[in-house]
Amino acid sequence: MVGLCVESSVEQVASMVGIMRCGAAYVPLDPKAPEDRLSFVVGACECSAAVAQRSLAEMVERVGVGQVLVSDEV
């Protein structure tokens, strides 16, 4: 299970495809949700890592999961 914390964008679709092509499943992590909720979801799903935009990296780090960053620059 891999968390996916990105705003709606091309990066979101590319990340979904990449995660599934690696044989994993993604768990959507809503960047607008409270951190307590994100921590609960990450713990319940036992996410091993999360794909996140650089602008959301600090929030994902506080949730307590390793991260792979995608660029949010155009």
Side-chain angles (χ1 to χ4, degrees):
M1 301 295 268
V2 177
L4 180 61
C5 188
V6 295
E7 298 288 339
S8 296
S9 62
V10 173
E11 289 85 7
Q12 180 183 28
V13 176
S15 298
M16 285 183 215
V17 172
I19 292 168
M20 290 186 291
R21 294 274 318 241
C22 290
Y26 69 88
V27 178
L29 301 174
D30 184 5
K32 296 176 185 138
E35 286 184 29
D36 292 341
R37 173 70 180 155
L38 295 178
S39 294
F40 172 77
V41 171
V42 166
C45 297
E46 299 178 2
C47 292
S48 57
V51 174
Q53 289 173 315
R54 290 188 190 281
S55 58
L56 302 171
E58 188 175 308
M59 179 184 63
V60 173
E61 185 177 326
R62 286 192 304 263
V63 171
V65 66
Q67 52 190 301
V68 176
L69 301 177
V70 295
S71 176
D72 47 0
E73 300 173 5
V74 177

